[in-house]
């Protein structure tokens, strides 16, 4: 995988390797359609056609109209545009917003910024498996609630939220419903035409596309206040010259996903089962997140007595995570696992394995062996064991 070291990459929730077809398509576009898609000449029209084709590919994956998609630099920007844009647009009607404690930082920090601007945010707690109860969610909605934002698949635990039911509760009350779909889009079947969702964020690099490009689905009749001002591109919602090659890569990744999801899911379930079977006998091992029914590409486990950061080093050349990639240089225990009721130490012992389309059973066998050895080694070093 890497030129010099044979990495065993089980960190697909952080990012996925770009598919060969995606790289090929981007190279073609870089060579032949590098024009500004807003230019009024033949070159510009060539690039504009590439962007339109990519929008059709993504729209078909989501089952929505291509005109409902806004290109962004990724899910962080899509979340910012959705949450800030909807909150500001509806501010005159009320300032109450609802979200969950276990959201990604790209949502949590946006709500924190809104709190500083005087918005009133309800932070909902999940149960010990990471799920949000529909009753708890509905009870939090008030007459002055303007926006609720709940993620689809949790990036640390793989917990899947009941977005259809939560969205219906919002629709009945005229509340805008946003979903951070960064860990679900392109990985699970998704039919946005049938879901009561107003805003859905996604990012290409989580489903075998390039980094630095994503999109926000904006359902018809969901006005947003733009965050940036500049050119008139993208209905004045997100100005700036479009990154035609990245967008083409995203489109290709979407087309590949549409053709692969049905095959990917049983492949991932088999890998998860293989991994869990190989490590479940280790004394004191527990699953962080749903024991059943979570996204099959993520398995997060912890131990009673082994520290995750030390374990991570002992696992090399295995690439796994102790938390979400954006927090992994932060020694704080994961706030997501703390919200599931784990102690600081338990949360700090967590290792997130995440795998994908290119993962082979041999990779999982190697991960099992490395994890078992790593735990044994660290337990052998522990003061209690030395006595
Ligand atoms: C759930 C979730 N939301 C948002 C993001 C941010 O996505 P991006 O890297 O495209 O900004 C990520 C990626 O780490 C994620 O897992």
């Amino acid at each position: 995988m890497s030129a010099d070291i044979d990495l065993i990459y089980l960190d697909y929730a952080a990012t996925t390797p770009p598919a060969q077809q995606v790289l090929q398509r981007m190279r073609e576009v870089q060579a032949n359609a590098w024009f500004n898609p807003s230019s009024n000449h033949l070159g510009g029209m060539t690039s504009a056609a590439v962007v339109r084709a990519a929008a059709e590919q993504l729209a078909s994956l989501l089952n929505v109209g291509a005109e409902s998609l806004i290109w962004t630099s990724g899910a962080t920007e899509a979340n910012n545009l959705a949450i800030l844009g909807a909150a500001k647009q509806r501010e005159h009607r009320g300032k109450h917003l609802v979200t969950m404690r276990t959201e990604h930082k790209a949502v949590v920090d946006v709500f924190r910024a809104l709190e500083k601007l005087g918005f009133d945010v309800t932070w909902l707690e999940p149960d010990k498996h990471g799920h949000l109860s529909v009753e708890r969610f509905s009870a939090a909605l008030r007459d002055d609630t303007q926006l609720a934002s709940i993620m689809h698949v949790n990036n640390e635990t793989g917990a899947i939220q009941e977005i259809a039911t939560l969205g219906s509760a919002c629709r009945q009350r005229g509340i805008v419903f946003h979903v951070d779909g960064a860990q679900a889009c392109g990985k699970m079947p998704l039919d946005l035409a049938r879901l009561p969702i107003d805003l859905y964020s996604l990012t290409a690099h989580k489903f075998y596309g390039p980094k630095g490009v994503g999109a926000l689905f904006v359902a018809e009749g969901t006005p947003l206040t733009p965050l940036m001002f500049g050119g008139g591109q993208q209905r004045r919602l997100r100005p700036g010259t479009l990154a035609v090659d990245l967008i083409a890569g995203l489109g290709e990744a979407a087309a590949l996903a549409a053709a692969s999801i049905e095959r990917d899911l049983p492949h991932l379930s088999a890998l998860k089962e293989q991994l869990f079977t190989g490590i479940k006998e280790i004394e004191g091992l527990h699953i962080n997140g749903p024991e059943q029914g979570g996204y099959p590409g993520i398995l997060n486990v912890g131990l009673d007595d082994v520290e995750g950061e030390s374990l991570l080093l002992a696992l090399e050349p295995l690439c796994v995570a102790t938390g979400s990639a954006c927090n992994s240089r932060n020694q704080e225990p994961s706030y997501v696992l703390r919200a599931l009721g784990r102690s600081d130490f338990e949360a700090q012992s967590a290792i997130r394995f995440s795998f994908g389309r290119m993962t082979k059973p041999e990779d999982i066998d190697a991960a099992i062996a490395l994890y078992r050895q790593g735990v044994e080694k660290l337990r052998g070093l522990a003061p209690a064991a030395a006595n």
Side-chain angles (χ1 to χ4, degrees):
M1 181 163 282
S2 148
D4 334 308
I5 321 165
D6 277 335
L7 301 178
I8 304 162
Y9 186 75
L10 295 188
D11 200 12
Y12 277 66
T15 196
T16 52
Q20 283 309 318
Q21 293 94 318
V22 166
L23 295 173
Q24 172 68 28
R25 177 73 183 133
M26 284 170 55
R27 276 193 289 266
E28 277 164 23
V29 170
Q30 280 158 356
N32 305 315
W34 46 267
F35 309 93
N36 187 327
S38 302
S39 293
N40 247 341
H41 48 60
L42 281 177
M45 286 173 208
T46 308
S47 290
V50 167
V51 172
R52 269 198 307 279
E56 288 300 340
Q57 286 171 309
L58 179 58
S60 146
L61 175 70
L62 306 176
N63 193 26
V64 297
E67 69 293 343
S68 58
L69 299 169
I70 300 289
W71 304 114
T72 64
S73 59
T76 301
E77 187 191 330
N79 287 342
N80 273 265
L81 176 57
I83 298 165
L84 291 173
K88 288 191 175 163
Q89 179 74 29
R90 296 166 64 103
E91 193 172 358
H92 61 284
R93 301 196 202 180
K95 288 192 146 194
H96 181 237
L97 314 169
V98 174
T99 191
M100 219 181 152
R101 287 231 180 268
T102 50
E103 293 290 316
H104 190 272
K105 279 270 175 193
V107 166
V108 169
D109 287 354
V110 186
F111 279 103
R112 293 240 179 276
L114 283 166
E115 279 181 325
K116 290 202 181 107
L117 293 174
F119 285 83
D120 174 14
V121 178
T122 297
W123 297 90
L124 295 170
E125 302 281 350
D127 67 15
K128 64 180 183 176
H129 300 298
H131 295 126
L132 175 61
S133 96
V134 174
E135 292 72 31
R136 190 175 282 189
F137 179 75
S138 300
L141 304 178
R142 310 192 314 218
D143 289 346
D144 62 337
T145 310
Q146 298 307 321
L147 165 75
S149 177
I150 302 294
M151 76 201 308
H152 195 170
V153 171
N154 185 276
N155 50 299
E156 290 193 38
T157 64
I160 303 173
Q161 305 302 343
E162 290 181 55
I163 52 171
T165 322
L166 304 178
S168 298
C170 289
R171 276 274 150 97
Q172 282 162 17
R173 294 172 173 82
I175 297 168
V176 172
F177 186 50
H178 167 249
V179 174
D180 175 357
Q183 294 288 346
C185 177
K187 294 153 105 180
M188 291 173 41
L190 190 61
D191 185 346
L192 287 179
R194 287 175 189 272
L195 285 168
I197 292 176
D198 303 303
L199 300 160
Y200 192 96
S201 305
L202 61 101
T203 185
H205 76 102
K206 306 285 188 190
F207 62 103
Y208 313 96
K211 286 173 238 326
V213 65
L216 178 66
F217 158 75
V218 184
E220 208 187 326
T222 314
L224 294 177
T225 299
L227 307 184
M228 292 186 278
F229 302 89
Q233 297 95 341
Q234 304 205 73
R235 293 184 274 139
R236 299 202 173 274
L237 263 182
R238 202 276 193 170
T241 304
L242 293 176
V244 187
D245 51 347
L246 297 179
I247 289 171
L250 190 163
E252 195 62 30
L256 274 173
S260 322
I261 287 176
E262 296 300 334
R263 241 176 307 130
D264 289 345
L265 288 172
H267 172 63
L268 296 177
S269 296
L271 295 174
K272 186 168 180 172
E273 179 67 33
Q274 181 191 348
L275 177 58
F276 188 56
T277 305
I279 59 175
K280 69 178 181 201
E281 304 301 345
I282 297 176
E283 209 187 317
L285 184 118
H286 56 255
I287 293 186
N288 292 314
E291 273 157 24
Q292 260 154 22
Y295 171 65
I298 295 181
L299 179 65
N300 190 322
V301 293
L303 294 160
D304 300 339
D305 54 351
V306 176
E307 204 263 323
E309 285 298 324
S310 319
L311 187 52
L312 199 65
L313 292 176
L315 293 180
E316 280 172 2
L318 186 61
C319 299
V320 287
T322 48
S324 100
C326 355
N327 290 325
S328 55
R329 283 189 187 83
N330 174 350
Q331 298 293 311
E332 292 283 299
S334 148
Y335 66 88
V336 171
L337 301 187
R338 292 288 289 116
L340 267 56
R342 296 285 175 208
S343 67
D344 278 359
F345 190 84
E346 283 171 337
Q348 253 160 345
S349 78
I351 294 286
R352 177 190 70 184
F353 298 91
S354 54
F355 23 89
R357 203 177 286 160
M358 289 86 158
T359 309
K360 300 190 193 68
E362 302 87 271
D363 300 326
I364 300 291
D365 281 338
I368 293 170
L370 284 165
Y371 187 78
R372 297 184 77 98
Q373 282 160 22
V375 172
E376 236 167 76
K377 184 174 148 202
L378 291 179
R379 282 185 171 163
L381 294 176
N387 291 332

